[in-house]
Amino acid sequence: MIDKIKDFASHFFVTGDPLIYGADVSIGLSMVAIFFVLTYFKKWGWLWREWLTTVDHKKIGIMYIIASLLMLFRGGVDALLMRAQLALPNVHFLQSEHYNEIFTTHGTIMILFMAMPMMFGLFNIAVPLQIGARDVAYPFLNAFSFWMFFVGAMLFNLSFVIGGSPDAGWLAYPPLSELSGSPGVGENFYIWGIQLSGVGSLASGINFVVTILKMRAKGMKMMQMPLFTWSVFASCVTIIIAFPVLTVTLALLFIDRFAGGHFFTMLHGGNPMMYVNLIWMWGHPEVYIVVLPAFGVFSEVVSVFSKKRIFGYKSMVFSLMIISILSYFTWVHHFFTMGASANVNAFFAITTMAIAIPTGVKVFNWLFTMFRGRIRIEQPMLWTLGFIPTFLIGGATGVMLAVAPADYQYHNSYFLIAHFHQVLIGGVVFGYLAGIYYWWPKMFGFKLNVKLGLWAFWLWNIGFYVCFMPQYALGFMGMTRRVYTYGWDMGWGPLNLISSIGAVLMGIGFIFQVWQILYSIKYGERDTTGDPWDGHTLEWTIPSPAPEYNFAIEPIVKGQDDFWRMKKEGIVPMTKESEIKPIHMPRNSGIPFIMSWFWFIAGFGFTFGWTWMIVVGLLGVAGSMLARSFTKKLDYYIPVEEIKETEAKFGRLV
């Protein structure tokens, strides 16, 4: 019996690597510390009532952002481990198998479990407030979306210490991801982790499209919406079309691995290229899904901190939607070298390069907005200014990659790695950090420390160029991606060392940001006005942090940037006591949390092929849905007295 348990444990847990043993200890200590703190301060009830069961879009947004920052830490540590491995020739700091796992998990985590939740966090924080709504269209579904993302991320990350991580790259190309190439359970973790979180992403996309179309304040026409809301709309339309492709693709891969299907094998009529086409039909729109909202953030920030309306509002809206549409016609540029005809390559080269036009329109509009504006260099604006040169370089190198004949030179080289990070860090990460700094006072009621923020900004930016500029040269020198180690004779050592130093600088920048948050919680400048940046849009008309009901009286909008208009006309947004009425709100529910964890159990069962666990998980899901269908108390009203008390506390009651 003991021998059987030992044999099971040796396969179930990941063993043999000191780094993973260290992670085991860290995870164990962290869990004990969390349990001790919650028990000692008697916070279990608070945690359940205020967070685990909440359907408040603002709290869900904060949970998304906290989760994304944790994933940024995990993905960042993976990046530093890779750069340590490649810093010098002939290094064997990591085992080769472990290196394969790390570059797989780094890419997957950064795209799907860091960028996506950070984006959904900002959606939840800003969109309902910008359009004058009290909530999203489907609050219960919104909570379910978050918890599905969370359990998917947990399932994926669990592979690090249980069963073994996936190692076939972040897009899991067959045949490496088939049973013949990856016989362990790592790819199963990949499939089910992404499937679960993908359900949450798709549901969020539908939720925000409906919210924007149906819940705008009275008087707010589509062409009067803030540009961030427009960017969310464009992104969510892309999500609704792209994510089902990912779901189906992974389902087919699952059938190949579990049921002996041959959709993506060369046996019995299958074809790996079908997988490559399908995954990039989702994969390239995914890049635009995460970058479009960043464009919206920059538009808000540039306008507010230049004290001007955005230049060319209509052209900005059309360019967002054009990018959203063109994003579906670019996927083949990822495999120009795979043998398609010249006509096919030419078509996708042109459509890829065409995206540079609406993107360029936006950059010019931001510059024209700043021209003769009274620019204030606050932290959100600083990150926006940092974005422009990085994104221009990323865009220019993207056009180089879109030239099909030239791509034969760059394909699979480090030039591609440099371009990819240039766009995604310079565009997405910088954009979302600008957004977090911008809406931080609205989330928490205080601003983040400027001095520590400056340290973080410069370390990130200097580290960024030190890290990725050498990689363009390495690509031209013939270094391919997914290289585990290399010899002294290749001549790649000095540039790789410089690149690794840059990665360390960015890591230190992240530490400064954590320090900045912790320091500012105690010493940060409190926002007593609700409008610390002299904002233009509706979210700045209400107190910081925003009350549970958002708007005591639903706003009536008369035009674009309505709050700025009000300020110009000398109108102060106050709450008239006589106009306050009870506010209808959704009631908290534990079902999204419980149902998502049953999905986790089912996913874990599918990962290991344990039928009994799959049955338990799916029965739990069915039971949760049944419980929801019989729940009668779905909503409640906030009484007038409570609203008056809240508004009076912020000095807004007249």
Side-chain angles (χ1 to χ4, degrees):
M1 183 68 179
I2 299 293
D3 290 338
K4 285 185 177 179
I5 294 173
K6 285 183 177 177
D7 184 57
F8 170 77
S10 66
H11 289 89
F12 188 68
F13 296 105
V14 178
T15 58
D17 192 323
L19 287 172
I20 293 177
Y21 290 138
D24 289 338
V25 173
S26 302
I27 293 169
L29 290 175
S30 300
M31 293 181 70
V32 169
I34 292 170
F35 183 82
F36 174 78
V37 168
L38 289 172
T39 305
Y40 183 80
F41 291 103
K42 298 179 181 176
K43 291 292 184 183
W44 286 105
W46 166 82
L47 181 66
W48 176 258
R49 288 189 305 274
E50 298 295 325
W51 295 97
L52 301 185
T53 61
T54 187
V55 294
D56 184 335
H57 67 91
K58 300 177 288 296
K59 290 182 178 177
I60 290 171
I62 290 170
M63 290 195 291
Y64 265 122
I65 289 174
I66 292 172
S68 70
L69 292 176
L70 290 173
M71 290 297 103
L72 178 60
F73 171 75
R74 162 74 206 276
V77 170
D78 282 348
L80 290 174
L81 290 173
M82 279 190 288
R83 289 315 315 169
Q85 169 64 32
L86 295 173
L88 294 169
N90 295 326
V91 170
H92 295 281
F93 167 66
L94 297 172
Q95 300 171 18
S96 57
E97 296 82 4
H98 193 183
Y99 182 82
N100 291 343
E101 292 171 353
I102 282 177
F103 76 63
T104 299
T105 55
H106 167 74
T108 309
I109 286 172
M110 286 303 203
I111 294 290
L112 289 162
F113 300 126
M114 187 281 288
M116 291 290 284
M118 199 175 277
M119 175 183 84
F120 286 130
L122 294 177
F123 287 11
N124 273 282
I125 294 296
V127 170
L129 300 181
Q130 284 200 327
I131 62 173
R134 291 215 168 96
D135 210 326
V136 295
Y138 308 114
F140 180 89
L141 184 65
N142 197 28
F144 177 69
S145 300
F146 169 75
W147 287 113
M148 285 298 283
F149 144 72
F150 186 80
V151 300
M154 291 300 102
L155 184 63
F156 182 84
N157 279 276
L158 203 60
S159 66
F160 185 54
V161 293
I162 292 179
S165 299
D167 59 359
W170 78 278
L171 289 168
Y173 283 177
L176 275 177
S177 56
E178 296 276 1
L179 273 180
S180 57
S182 298
V185 295
E187 292 306 318
N188 303 343
F189 274 116
Y190 174 91
I191 291 171
W192 285 101
I194 294 176
Q195 286 288 42
L196 296 184
S197 67
V199 170
S201 299
L202 183 57
S204 285
I206 296 168
N207 207 344
F208 277 93
V209 165
V210 178
T211 299
I212 293 168
L213 289 178
K214 303 296 288 184
M215 296 189 69
R216 298 191 309 280
K218 186 182 284 187
M220 182 182 280
K221 299 173 183 173
M222 288 290 281
M223 290 307 285
Q224 294 171 345
M225 291 195 309
L227 278 173
F228 178 71
T229 299
W230 260 114
S231 72
V232 172
F233 183 76
S235 176
C236 288
V237 168
T238 315
I239 286 174
I240 291 171
I241 299 173
F243 263 75
V245 179
L246 175 68
T247 303
V248 170
T249 306
L250 292 180
L252 296 178
L253 184 61
F254 165 73
I255 292 171
D256 272 12
R257 288 180 59 85
F258 283 79
H262 293 282
F263 290 105
F264 305 129
T265 66
M266 295 300 288
L267 295 172
H268 304 288
N271 189 342
M273 275 307 296
M274 184 166 72
Y275 180 92
V276 177
N277 272 286
L278 286 171
I279 200 74
W280 279 115
M281 282 181 192
W282 159 79
H284 205 78
E286 167 67 9
V287 174
Y288 296 102
I289 286 169
V290 292
V291 82
L292 284 170
F295 292 161
V297 171
F298 294 133
S299 300
E300 299 290 335
V301 169
V302 165
S303 171
V304 168
F305 290 93
S306 299
K307 281 188 174 292
K308 287 174 66 180
R309 275 193 173 162
I310 195 76
F311 181 88
Y313 173 87
K314 289 184 180 177
S315 64
M316 294 292 266
V317 171
F318 287 125
S319 64
L320 284 169
M321 297 311 297
I322 288 169
I323 291 172
S324 174
I325 294 166
L326 283 178
S327 69
Y328 298 113
F329 300 97
T330 58
W331 82 88
V332 171
H333 74 228
H334 288 275
F335 39 93
F336 278 146
T337 61
M338 294 291 186
S341 70
N343 289 337
V344 170
N345 281 356
F347 174 81
F348 284 94
I350 291 168
T351 52
T352 302
M353 285 187 271
I355 283 189
I357 298 170
T359 307
V361 166
K362 267 196 262 298
V363 174
F364 282 116
N365 283 356
W366 292 323
L367 294 175
F368 283 128
T369 304
M370 286 187 270
F371 181 63
R372 292 184 176 173
R374 284 178 287 166
I375 298 174
R376 289 174 293 150
I377 310 295
E378 300 273 3
Q379 292 183 80
M381 189 64 175
L382 202 58
W383 284 93
T384 302
L385 294 174
F387 146 82
I388 291 176
T390 60
F391 199 75
L392 287 177
I393 298 171
T397 51
V399 173
M400 290 171 69
L401 284 161
V403 180
D407 188 67
Y408 279 76
Q409 175 66 32
Y410 314 131
H411 188 75
N412 260 348
S413 75
Y414 246 67
F415 185 92
L416 174 64
I417 299 296
H419 159 74
F420 186 69
H421 286 84
Q422 186 97 38
V423 172
L424 283 179
I425 294 180
V428 177
V429 177
F430 284 17
Y432 291 165
L433 288 177
I436 289 173
Y437 281 111
Y438 183 58
W439 283 300
W440 187 274
K442 192 54 61 184
M443 285 188 268
F444 299 106
F446 63 89
K447 293 164 77 172
L448 289 168
N449 180 271
V450 174
K451 188 175 180 182
L452 291 170
L454 284 174
W455 275 98
F457 172 80
W458 287 112
L459 283 163
W460 263 97
N461 272 264
I462 294 170
F464 176 83
Y465 287 101
V466 173
C467 182
F468 295 109
M469 291 300 111
Q471 293 184 10
Y472 287 113
L474 284 167
F476 284 128
M477 292 165 69
M479 182 170 171
T480 57
R481 58 179 174 171
R482 306 185 185 114
V483 165
Y484 165 62
T485 190
Y486 53 89
W488 287 97
D489 56 329
M490 302 304 292
W492 300 339
L495 288 175
N496 268 304
L497 180 61
I498 293 170
S499 181
S500 297
I501 291 170
V504 172
L505 290 176
M506 285 195 286
I508 298 172
F510 179 74
I511 292 171
F512 266 91
Q513 285 177 312
V514 175
W515 182 10
Q516 182 188 23
I517 292 170
L518 297 176
Y519 180 87
S520 303
I521 289 173
K522 188 169 184 181
Y523 301 108
E525 178 187 342
R526 303 291 138 176
D527 172 29
T528 56
T529 65
D531 182 24
W533 311 119
D534 191 16
H536 295 178
T537 42
L538 290 178
E539 70 268 35
W540 306 109
T541 63
I542 58 176
S544 299
E548 180 185 2
Y549 46 78
N550 293 353
F551 299 90
I553 300 169
E554 288 180 305
I556 298 175
V557 176
K558 295 183 179 176
Q560 183 194 341
D561 291 341
D562 204 51
F563 185 36
W564 207 36
R565 173 195 64 79
M566 291 164 66
K567 285 191 281 192
K568 282 187 171 179
E569 295 176 0
I571 301 171
V572 179
M574 301 294 281
T575 305
K576 292 182 181 176
E577 187 173 350
S578 58
E579 295 181 359
I580 297 176
K581 296 177 182 175
I583 295 176
H584 182 228
M585 296 295 291
R587 191 180 290 275
N588 283 0
S589 172
I591 293 176
F593 176 78
I594 294 169
M595 183 159 55
S596 299
W597 279 104
F598 275 119
W599 273 115
F600 175 89
I601 292 169
F604 196 85
F606 278 118
T607 297
F608 282 89
W610 294 343
T611 306
W612 65 270
M613 187 175 277
I614 297 169
V615 171
V616 168
L618 294 181
L619 284 176
V621 171
S624 300
M625 295 170 72
L626 204 61
R628 175 67 180 176
S629 68
F630 282 101
T631 304
K632 294 182 178 176
K633 295 182 179 178
L634 300 175
D635 50 12
Y636 70 104
Y637 282 88
I638 301 177
V640 170
E641 290 307 315
E642 187 178 328
I643 302 166
K644 287 181 182 177
E645 189 179 329
T646 305
E647 294 297 305
K649 187 176 73 177
F650 290 110
R652 291 170 176 263
L653 195 64
V654 292

